[in-house]
């Protein structure tokens, strides 16, 4: 009899517990329908997807253009391109050099054609910063030709000029060469006599067509990579230590840079990096032995200016 009583009590307890569970379940179900909470996600989920290079702060640099872009004249071979990459990395910003497409002697016409090559376009598409150096071979080809004609005489005349530089500067370095070249015309020598008739108009004979090609170049680069920021490196006057070339050279360079600025002002993704002031009055210190391209110190000054423009 007692066993039967406990059996019924047990069954009653089980029934009560089941009823409570059903009631609780019904309440939770009704609450979820009336006030859905949605799905919660882990805050660490976004780490599984890598952000694009631009958004993660990585600077990817490409350079295109002439011998200045290549770094000719720098004994280390770094030029302003690698020096600028190093300068941008100095504060911890991750900076990569995608490619340097600088070619000695390249003109605006040559670069315009190079930009049609798929390999060149591929490199430019990978970058978010593109450095462009072009125009010096267009602007100064007349001056270089005239210098070749006036300085291309006998070995004796070249040695005499070199000796004059060594006497006045006390060494045969680039600074001595600069003094020698500037001093020869003043001393009555005919070494640079042909330059006396050189004027800005002669230097700028190719400016209209060359500046038009420059506009085509910058526009093409922008079309190839619309997301990249383009930095055009302005020209300097490498012949400013020659009396006959100081004024016409500076005027010609200023006209060229102004034409470039006019193009760049119409494009929000482009910047002009000036260099004329970096070399004026300091050619002997910042030009290489060929007295046309910068030396390592000159390229460093250019790189510092580029880093300043990018930051």
């Amino acid at each position: 009899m007692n066993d039967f009583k406990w059996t019924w009590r047990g069954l009653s307890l089980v029934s009560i517990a089941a009823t409570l569970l059903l009631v609780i379940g019904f309440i939770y179900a009704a609450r979820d329908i009336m006030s859905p909470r949605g799905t919660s996600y882990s805050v660490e989920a976004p780490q599984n997807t890598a952000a694009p290079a631009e958004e993660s702060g990585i600077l990817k640099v490409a350079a295109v253009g002439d011998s200045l872009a290549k770094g000719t004249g720098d004994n280390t071979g770094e030029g302003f391109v690698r020096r600028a990459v190093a300068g941008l990395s100095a504060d911890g910003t991750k900076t990569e050099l995608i490619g340097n497409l600088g070619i000695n002697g390249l003109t605006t016409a040559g670069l315009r054609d190079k930009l049609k090559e798929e390999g060149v376009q591929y490199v430019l598409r990978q970058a978010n910063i593109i450095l462009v150096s072009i125009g010096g071979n267009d602007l100064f080809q007349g001056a270089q030709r005239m210098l070749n004609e006036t300085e291309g005489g006998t070995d004796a005349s070249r040695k005499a000029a070199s000796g004059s530089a060594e006497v006045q500067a006390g060494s045969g370095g680039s600074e001595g060469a600069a003094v020698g070249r500037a001093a020869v015309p003043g001393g009555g020598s005919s070494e640079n006599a042909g330059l006396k008739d050189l004027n800005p108009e002669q230097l700028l004979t190719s400016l209209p067509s060359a500046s038009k090609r420059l506009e085509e170049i910058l526009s093409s680069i922008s079309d190839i990579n619309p997301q990249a920021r383009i930095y055009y490196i302005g020209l300097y006057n490498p012949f400013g230590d020659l009396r006959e070339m100081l004024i016409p050279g500076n005027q010609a360079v200023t006209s060229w840079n102004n034409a470039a600025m006019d193009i760049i002002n119409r494009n929000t993704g482009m910047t002009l990096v000036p260099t004329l002031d970096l070399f004026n009055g300091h050619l002997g210190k910042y030009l290489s032995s060929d007295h046309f391209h910068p030396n390592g110190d000159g390229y460093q000054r250019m790189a510092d200016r580029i880093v300043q423009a990018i930051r």
Side-chain angles (χ1 to χ4, degrees):
M1 188 69 176
N2 289 333
D3 291 339
F4 183 76
K5 184 187 297 185
W6 284 109
T7 299
W8 277 106
R9 288 180 178 177
L11 290 173
S12 298
L13 291 173
V14 171
S15 298
I16 294 171
T19 301
L20 289 174
L21 288 174
L22 288 173
V23 171
I24 293 172
F26 176 79
I27 293 173
Y28 272 100
R31 182 178 298 175
D32 190 54
I33 292 173
M34 297 299 293
S35 303
R37 291 178 297 172
T39 304
S40 71
Y41 296 94
S42 169
V43 295
E44 297 182 357
Q47 296 180 1
N48 296 328
T49 303
E54 300 91 333
E55 297 179 4
S56 60
I58 300 176
L59 300 180
K60 295 189 175 184
V61 181
V64 65
D66 52 24
S67 54
L68 292 182
K70 186 177 181 180
T72 301
D74 187 348
N75 291 334
T76 68
E78 294 182 340
F80 69 71
V81 177
R82 290 189 177 276
R83 292 173 184 272
V85 170
L88 291 169
S89 304
D91 65 351
T93 301
K94 187 173 182 181
T95 309
E96 301 175 0
L97 177 58
I98 303 301
N100 187 339
L101 306 178
I103 300 174
N104 286 340
L106 198 65
T107 62
T108 52
L111 180 54
R112 183 184 57 183
D113 293 338
K114 295 295 289 184
L115 292 176
K116 299 175 183 177
E117 298 178 7
E118 182 57 37
V120 173
Q121 294 182 11
Y122 175 81
V123 172
L124 296 181
R125 290 192 191 104
Q126 311 309 307
N128 50 34
I129 291 177
I130 299 175
L131 307 179
V132 182
S133 172
I134 199 71
N137 293 313
D138 296 84
L139 184 62
F140 288 114
Q141 58 184 350
Q144 288 175 299
R145 182 170 57 251
M146 192 166 290
L147 280 170
N148 289 337
E149 292 172 356
T150 58
E151 294 185 354
T154 63
D155 290 339
S157 64
R158 288 195 293 271
K159 289 179 180 178
S162 175
S164 174
E166 292 178 7
V167 169
Q168 295 184 53
S171 70
S174 59
E175 187 166 357
V179 174
R181 289 181 69 185
V184 170
S189 170
S190 61
E191 181 78 17
N192 297 312
L195 291 175
K196 287 190 286 189
D197 297 326
L198 193 63
N199 55 58
E201 286 73 21
Q202 285 178 282
L203 286 175
L204 292 172
T205 53
S206 62
L207 178 59
S209 57
S211 61
K212 182 178 179 180
R213 289 191 295 270
L214 176 61
E215 185 170 12
E216 294 174 1
I217 287 168
L218 296 176
S219 178
S220 295
I221 294 175
S222 181
D223 290 341
I224 293 169
N225 188 343
Q227 282 72 46
R229 184 83 190 179
I230 300 170
Y231 293 86
Y232 175 70
I233 314 304
L235 300 187
Y236 59 88
N237 178 14
F239 303 116
D241 63 334
L242 298 175
R243 183 179 303 169
E244 298 84 354
M245 283 291 292
L246 176 60
I247 294 177
N250 285 346
Q251 290 176 338
V253 167
T254 299
S255 297
W256 175 275
N257 289 337
N258 286 341
M261 178 62 78
D262 184 58
I263 297 169
I264 289 170
N265 282 341
R266 300 194 300 269
N267 297 271
T268 57
M270 302 177 188
T271 300
L272 173 69
V273 181
T275 63
L276 178 61
D277 62 306
L278 299 180
F279 292 90
N280 271 4
H282 307 287
L283 294 178
K285 184 176 181 181
Y286 296 123
L287 290 187
S288 66
S289 58
D290 66 9
H291 211 79
F292 186 79
H293 299 93
N295 57 22
D297 291 337
Y299 277 120
Q300 186 61 55
R301 286 170 69 82
M302 296 175 71
D304 292 342
R305 180 66 60 80
I306 292 169
V307 170
Q308 182 182 26
I310 293 175
R311 286 180 175 166

